[in-house]
Amino acid sequence: MAIVPAPRSCRYIALSYLWGGMGEEYWTTKANLKHRRRRGGLDASVLPMTISDTIQLVRLLGERYLWIDALCIVQDDPKDKEVQIGVMELIYGSSAFTIFAAGGTSARDPLPGIRPGTRDLQQQTSKIQGFHLAVPLVLPREAIASSAWNTRGWTYQELMLSRRRIFFTSHHVHFECAEDVWSEDVVAERVDVPWDAHPLRCNGAGGFTFMDAPPHWKRTAYMEHYMSVIGKYTQRRLTVESDIVSAVTALINVMTKGSDVAGGEPGEAF
């Protein structure tokens, strides 16, 4: 429970969530940074439920380091903000996985299912002639599409840059990476089952960003990817409209470096 510089090559987890107009009482600032750097210096009593539940989850998973923007960026230090916003592609792209709090409308809301009473699943079930029948829950893709988290500008690049993702929605928890999708309500482990027979195939959030330079024959895919990213991003909302460039900078950085536009310099390419 302290704010520490990340040890070199450490394994860490990142969080993607909604601030939701919360006040400044839990932010890291110049005034409290020194105290928060001490062991136990991060006061759990001031943290909103999304963050406190995420800390609890990370502990349960046996992980040690967690990156959360409101805590790890000094909110009243423009220089620190500029530096960290400029490397978001490294922060989310290098995390072991990202936890997506997509079950509420603000940081005050819990991660559904972490604590008793934080999730109320409504699923119709019946027993007919000895058979138990149930209406299936919504697909992961549908659960995400209906969330407030999915409408925000900053969360879009956090999604696109994260290689492994654990989503907490009001319907269920699901995991996805570039290779697979698993949901807690479906038996989906692909043991000797081809990908085209996967019960959740193409039903995750999808949308992974090219992180490396593409082969020569695939370079045109970068422009198509760029057009898709900007098309989806500009449909989302920002609390502060002037954040529109900052909230997509990480994606632009990755695409510029990956396709080696203007020598891989985003400032020259865009």
Side-chain angles (χ1 to χ4, degrees), residues 103-155:
T105 58
S106 79
R108 296 183 183 89
D109 296 316
L111 281 184
I114 292 295
R115 288 179 288 108
T118 56
R119 184 171 66 171
D120 181 20
L121 297 182
Q122 300 295 325
Q123 186 175 29
Q124 186 176 347
T125 61
S126 294
K127 185 176 180 180
I128 301 174
Q129 296 182 2
F131 290 97
H132 290 273
L133 306 178
V135 176
L137 297 179
V138 301
L139 293 167
R141 179 182 61 195
E142 296 166 343
I144 295 166
S146 63
S147 68
W149 173 91
N150 197 54
T151 68
R152 309 304 297 174
W154 283 97
T155 61

Side-chain angles (χ1 to χ4, degrees), residues 202-219:
C202 302
N203 276 304
F208 292 87
T209 298
F210 300 128
M211 302 296 283
D212 301 309
H216 179 74
W217 56 267
K218 202 175 181 182
R219 283 184 175 255

Side-chain angles (χ1 to χ4, degrees), residues 171-208:
H171 299 278
H172 42 55
V173 175
H174 84 269
F175 167 86
E176 65 179 75
C177 63
E179 296 292 330
D180 222 331
V181 180
W182 292 353
S183 184
E184 64 175 329
D185 67 312
V186 177
V187 177
E189 286 76 1
R190 291 192 293 125
V191 180
D192 299 324
V193 175
W195 174 239
D196 58 7
H198 193 298
L200 295 176
R201 182 172 66 97
C202 302
N203 276 304
F208 292 87

